[in-house]
């Protein structure tokens, strides 16, 4: 919402992020993605989290994409790099 508010009416918002893959070959790709997220999540020495960092990241990303779809028209969604990189953009109403 903050990004959409900053851009204003008739503006365009594009989200570019990394997330777990939803492709058929996802298990090994997601294992690497999870390791990267865990290793880059402070504190990196912590091996157990209340909620897995990659799950929290996915929830935030999904919420941002859902809100963009609610606030924008002509939303385009694409995935790249084994389904891990997601791009979504839309023109605001």
């Amino acid at each position: 919402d903050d990004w959409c508010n900053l851009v204003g009416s008739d503006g365009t918002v594009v989200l570019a992020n990394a997330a777990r893959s939803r492709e058929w070959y996802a298990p090994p790709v997601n294992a690497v993605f999870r390791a990267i997220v865990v290793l880059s999540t402070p504190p990196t020495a912590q091996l157990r989290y209340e909620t897995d960092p990659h799950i929290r990241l996915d929830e935030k990303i999904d919420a941002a994409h859902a809100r963009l779809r609610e606030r924008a028209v002509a939303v385009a969604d694409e995935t790249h790099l084994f389904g891990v990189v997601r791009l979504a953009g839309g023109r605001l109403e």
Side-chain angles (χ1 to χ4, degrees):
D1 277 334
D2 290 341
W3 298 330
C4 292
N5 293 338
L6 285 171
V7 172
S9 297
D10 295 325
T12 301
V13 173
V14 176
L15 303 176
N17 59 270
R20 289 186 299 162
S21 177
R22 295 181 176 123
E23 302 295 334
W24 63 268
Y25 46 75
V29 172
N30 288 340
V32 171
F33 178 74
R34 182 183 185 279
I36 291 168
V37 171
V38 168
L39 291 172
S40 65
T41 302
T44 55
Q46 186 173 346
L47 298 177
R48 291 266 187 211
Y49 296 90
E50 199 170 303
T51 304
D52 286 333
H54 67 287
I55 300 292
R56 285 195 334 243
L57 179 61
D58 278 350
E59 289 169 353
K60 289 181 179 186
I61 289 167
D62 288 343
H65 282 259
R67 192 64 183 134
L68 178 62
R69 283 190 296 278
E70 290 171 8
R71 294 204 47 184
V73 295
V75 175
D77 276 310
E78 297 179 2
T79 59
H80 300 278
L81 195 61
F82 304 109
V84 173
V85 175
R86 290 175 57 189
L87 299 172
R91 187 175 48 80
L92 301 180
E93 297 183 295

